[in-house]
Amino acid sequence: MLAAGVLVGAVNIYLASSMLPTAVAEIGGESFYAWNMTLYLVAMVIATMLVSRFLARWGNAGAYLIGFALFMVGSLACAVSPTMPVLLAGRCLQGLGAGLLSGLGFAVIRSALPRRLWTRGNALMSAMYGVGNFAGPALGGLFAQFGSWRLAFVLMAGITAVCGAAVPRVLPRGERGHAAAPVPVVSLALVMAATAAVSVSGILPDTMARAAGVAMALLLVVGFVAHERRSARRVFPGATYRAGSALKWVYLTLGLLSFGVAVESFVPLFGQRLAGLPPLAAGFFGAAVSLGWSLTQIAGSSAVREHTVRRLRTTGPVLLALGFLVQGLLQREHASIWWVVIWVPVLCVAGSGIGLAYPHLSVAAMSAATDPEEGRQAAAAIATVTTMSTAFGTAVAGVLVSLGGPSMLGSARWVLFGFAVLCAIGIFTARAADRTSRPRRSVAVEDRPVVTQIFQ
């Protein structure tokens, strides 16, 4: 059930984007084309930030029913929309439901599963993003091919209704809080503005305008962090901002891993322009990162020894950056089919870096707080970091494509080399998390100097 909630939102991101050209041809509203994804992402980020409050107010089952209901109503609104404004309103409701379900998928693991299964549960949640990236474009393209884009939204609503009906039978109700936690209005406004800025910058035609949009979004994120550090009403748990806490480094590493997923949006473009792949083949080729991501989580989540877990969390960013670096070196004009075949395992290696590290980093975030309420808040923030980082990555990739100029080969190298450098920062944040979370060795009193024992 938890995985189905995450999968619904992940599939819908690319399902709708692949059908949008067909929908615009029928109902019009081409000038609002870009807002389809922008509003969805903004609503999704906002909802992920309110997960802990929904759990405190309505419990596990109640919060899930609200999430499925919002997504179902939004899907039906999209299915019957006569104009683009109605479709955008439906997308907002879908985003709210998808964000709530994504955040709940990580947060409810704490109460629905025993501690020994947290890593595997997080691996399953994370794998759903990879499956969604693979299945979404395929389903959307299939429905668009036959001009039945409305039926795709009806199908999503039907699946959501079935999942919602099963919630009371499957999920534990969970404990409700005695008082509703105050909503961090300022933090929400800053994050909403940052997400909107980076989403809009991703579709601006001018490179300087895109760069300015990304810079504005980064300034808003800095303002968000500064406000959260001194505010009593926070989105992230208080441990994130305490000195000596590993939580901030864990979130940064998760963000950099999710940042790399944005490359998938442009790999099909490179495959079509540089290798002459047909659109359908290029779309599946672009899902190689998600394939590597999803498969490696099955094996990586089985690790339980502390030394192995720490090694996997550090190895993940190394493989991700190395995969993008090698892929950039392999780019060629008029690449043959045999050369393209080499690209697939390289991208799978890059994706495997996410799969190896993501589940263990998620568990590290969930385990950072001993208080149950703060623990749920820390778990729900995983979805917030993932969604925001993917949005930022997409906008940055758009800027790098523009820097490549008219040459598609230049654009491909700018994107892949640029992301290799940016994702490599995750190596240092992962090591910082490792150093900070490692328990300090204590020295027994009898092993200390006599003078020290006296003062003890």
Side-chain angles (χ1 to χ4, degrees):
M1 180 59 65
L2 306 186
V6 177
L7 181 60
V8 161
V11 168
N12 193 66
I13 294 176
Y14 297 100
L15 175 76
S17 61
S18 59
M19 297 187 304
L20 195 57
T22 306
V24 168
E26 180 179 333
I27 64 176
E30 186 175 356
S31 58
F32 294 99
Y33 189 99
W35 288 99
N36 188 280
M37 184 63 73
T38 299
L39 293 177
Y40 184 85
L41 287 175
V42 170
M44 195 171 178
V45 170
I46 292 173
T48 59
M49 298 169 70
L50 297 174
V51 165
S52 59
R53 288 159 180 81
F54 273 84
L55 285 173
R57 177 66 178 83
W58 286 286
N60 295 339
Y64 257 93
L65 287 173
I66 293 173
F68 280 125
L70 284 171
F71 192 88
M72 183 181 67
V73 173
S75 298
L76 292 175
C78 291
V80 301
S81 55
T83 60
M84 180 58 73
V86 178
L87 181 65
L88 292 178
R91 290 288 283 163
C92 284
L93 289 175
Q94 278 189 322
L96 290 172
L100 187 56
L101 293 171
S102 297
L104 287 169
F106 291 96
V108 178
I109 285 177
R110 288 180 58 93
S111 57
L113 297 178
R115 175 68 176 79
R116 60 186 174 83
L117 293 180
W118 281 6
T119 303
R120 297 205 175 186
N122 277 284
L124 184 60
M125 299 303 103
S126 174
M128 292 303 100
Y129 288 112
V131 174
N133 291 352
F134 185 82
L139 287 175
L142 182 64
F143 279 98
Q145 183 72 30
F146 295 100
S148 304
W149 64 273
R150 296 182 187 272
L151 287 179
F153 287 115
V154 173
L155 176 64
M156 295 299 295
I159 294 173
T160 307
V162 172
C163 292
V167 164
R169 296 170 178 258
V170 174
L171 291 180
R173 293 186 177 275
E175 297 181 1
R176 300 183 182 183
H178 298 289
V183 177
V185 178
V186 177
S187 295
L188 285 174
L190 288 170
V191 168
M192 183 172 63
T195 308
V198 75
S199 300
V200 172
S201 67
I203 50 90
L204 293 175
D206 183 65
T207 303
M208 292 303 297
R210 286 184 175 183
V214 174
M216 176 61 69
L218 289 174
L219 288 175
L220 289 168
V221 170
V222 171
F224 165 80
V225 173
H227 172 76
E228 286 253 308
R229 287 177 64 90
R230 62 175 185 272
S231 175
R233 300 181 179 182
R234 299 188 181 97
V235 171
F236 291 95
T240 309
Y241 307 102
R242 284 198 291 266
S245 172
L247 194 53
K248 55 179 172 292
W249 301 114
V250 170
Y251 282 143
L252 282 171
T253 309
L254 281 169
L256 288 165
L257 290 173
S258 304
F259 188 88
V261 179
V263 169
E264 279 191 327
S265 301
F266 294 87
V267 168
L269 175 65
F270 303 151
Q272 290 183 51
R273 299 288 181 86
L274 297 179
L277 295 177
L280 184 60
F284 284 108
F285 168 72
V289 174
S290 291
L291 183 63
W293 174 3
S294 301
L295 291 178
T296 52
Q297 293 191 94
I298 299 173
S301 62
S302 302
V304 293
R305 296 179 59 184
E306 184 179 353
H307 176 74
T308 304
V309 169
R310 293 179 185 275
R311 182 66 60 84
L312 289 175
R313 294 195 313 219
T314 308
T315 303
V318 173
L319 290 177
L320 182 63
L322 185 62
F324 288 153
L325 176 62
V326 174
Q327 184 69 11
L329 294 173
L330 291 175
Q331 298 303 292
R332 296 286 188 278
E333 291 277 9
H334 309 295
S336 66
I337 187 63
W338 301 110
W339 195 255
V340 172
V341 169
I342 302 175
W343 293 358
V344 177
V346 173
L347 288 173
C348 284
V349 168
S352 69
I354 304 174
L356 290 176
Y358 197 103
H360 299 289
L361 288 166
S362 300
V363 172
M366 293 169 57
S367 308
T370 55
D371 178 67
E373 179 63 30
E374 194 173 58
R376 285 195 296 268
Q377 190 179 16
I382 297 170
T384 303
V385 171
T386 300
T387 306
M388 283 193 65
S389 298
T390 304
F392 268 88
T394 304
V396 171
V399 174
L400 294 175
V401 166
S402 300
L403 291 175
S407 168
M408 185 54 59
L409 178 61
S411 296
R413 287 175 174 170
W414 267 98
V415 170
L416 292 166
F417 290 152
F419 270 71
V421 173
L422 293 171
C423 292
I425 300 174
I427 301 171
F428 303 100
T429 58
R431 289 181 176 176
D434 186 11
R435 290 194 301 269
T436 310
S437 61
R438 185 172 298 175
R440 297 179 179 177
R441 297 179 59 186
S442 58
V443 181
V445 173
E446 58 269 20
D447 293 335
R448 296 172 183 170
V450 176
V451 176
T452 306
Q453 293 185 38
I454 294 173
F455 280 99
Q456 287 285 344

